[in-house]
Amino acid sequence: QQQVKQSPQSLIVQKGGISIINCAYENTAFDYFPWYQQFPGKGPALLIAIRPDVSEKKEGRFTISFNKSAKQFSLHIMDSQPGDSATYFCAASSVQGAQKLVFGQGTRLTINP
Amino acid sequence: KAGVTQTPRYLIKTRGQQVTLSCSPISGHRSVSWYQQTPGQGLQFLFEYFSETQRNKGNFPGRFSGRQFSNSRSEMNVSTLELGDSALYLCASSHQGVETQYFGPGTRLLVL
């Protein structure tokens, strides 16, 4: 019940296209859903996060869509650029409960120029 | 503000040895969490400290331990190292908990 399932494992998108990464969770106590971006040799960097009281959050070219009834959330990267090539992790946690992030397995995104 | 710093960045140890990793959180942050990252298991939570108290612990053996000092700096220790402990160990800090956690660059540990 603590798992977060992420797909796809790898994704290749053409420059200017839309990159979409999906995650699903089981634990209904989760109420905080961040996305992290990680470049080789670096630690994960917080990209964008959402709480379940909204269905969508947009920051620049990055958008989180959240479907509470389906227990799914996704990251959309609009106008994908070669500099977006990185590994993306979704995560989930309960803000009021255990202070720990449960991560998805990651998606290696490659943007072809 | 300076980011989360971790020392050392790279470490090579042999089986049976012990190792101590250090993490300095962002100034003003009182919560420090540790995660292990491996290609097979991904990112897994080790433990979280807040104001020198361990609040949460992940499913790791007792060989993994940590502590937090009064200045919020944290250390984690792994005793009796095993080959499977080879990983990137990440520290993350935040003001209070999981929200808006900032990660350091990690310490890459290789156990031979």
Side-chain angles (χ1 to χ4, degrees), chain B residues 43-72:
Chain B
L43 280 150
Q44 293 188 290
F45 173 79
L46 280 157
F47 26 67
E48 185 250 356
Y49 288 87
F50 182 81
S51 294
E52 301 180 68
T53 300
Q54 185 183 88
R55 290 198 298 191
N56 295 282
K57 191 176 190 305
N59 296 325
F60 280 82
R63 301 185 295 106
F64 292 81
S65 62
R67 58 178 176 168
Q68 186 181 33
F69 303 95
S70 58
N71 61 358
S72 293

Side-chain angles (χ1 to χ4, degrees), chain B residues 7-92:
Chain B
T7 57
R9 292 293 311 278
Y10 304 93
L11 209 49
I12 300 175
K13 292 285 187 179
T14 56
R15 278 183 303 173
Q17 287 187 311
Q18 76 165 15
V19 66
T20 299
L21 312 181
S22 180
C23 170
S24 292
I26 291 172
S27 177
H29 285 187
R30 294 164 65 189
S31 171
V32 174
S33 299
W34 289 88
Y35 294 83
Q36 181 196 64
Q37 186 175 25
T38 60
Q41 298 298 317
L43 280 150
Q44 293 188 290
F45 173 79
L46 280 157
F47 26 67
E48 185 250 356
Y49 288 87
F50 182 81
S51 294
E52 301 180 68
T53 300
Q54 185 183 88
R55 290 198 298 191
N56 295 282
K57 191 176 190 305
N59 296 325
F60 280 82
R63 301 185 295 106
F64 292 81
S65 62
R67 58 178 176 168
Q68 186 181 33
F69 303 95
S70 58
N71 61 358
S72 293
R73 191 177 68 86
S74 177
E75 288 182 346
M76 69 163 281
N77 182 275
V78 188
S79 62
T80 320
L81 283 166
E82 300 177 359
L83 294 179
D85 297 333
S86 294
L88 180 67
Y89 289 89
L90 293 158
C91 165

Side-chain angles (χ1 to χ4, degrees), chain A residues 32 36 38 44 99-101, chain B residues 35 37 56 97-98 100-101:
Chain A
Y32 174 68
Y36 282 84
Q38 186 176 30
Q99 299 298 317
K100 65 176 184 179
L101 291 171
Chain B
Y35 294 83
Q37 186 175 25
N56 295 282
V98 288
T100 324
Q101 272 191 352

